[in-house]
Amino acid sequence: LHISQTLINIAGYRPNPDINGLYSWGRTTTVLGNAQQIGLSQTVETAGKRNGRILVARAEHEANQAEYDGLV
């Protein structure tokens, strides 16, 4: 039950940003001869996706609680 409670907390977290880098060598079409790229991306959640995750986690917790209560 503690795990399912923790999953409710995790469901409320926002996604972390992601940083990517790329370095290419060899013949390219750039003037300098090498293509270098760096990128930053951030997931933007829309339409209540975060709230939906929390509601699913709460429902799973309640189901686990009911199953536990039935065993005790």
Side-chain angles (χ1 to χ4, degrees), residues 18-70:
D18 185 27
I19 298 175
N20 297 310
L22 171 68
Y23 181 78
S24 300
W25 61 90
R27 193 172 172 91
T28 63
T29 59
T30 63
V31 175
L32 299 175
N34 289 330
Q36 300 175 22
Q37 299 177 356
I38 188 166
L40 174 66
S41 65
Q42 173 66 47
T43 302
V44 177
E45 295 182 319
T46 59
K49 291 180 183 174
R50 179 174 172 250
N51 191 39
R53 277 196 318 269
I54 294 169
L55 291 175
V56 168
R58 284 184 181 155
E60 290 176 355
H61 175 70
E62 290 172 6
N64 289 337
Q65 182 69 47
E67 184 178 345
Y68 176 78
D69 290 344

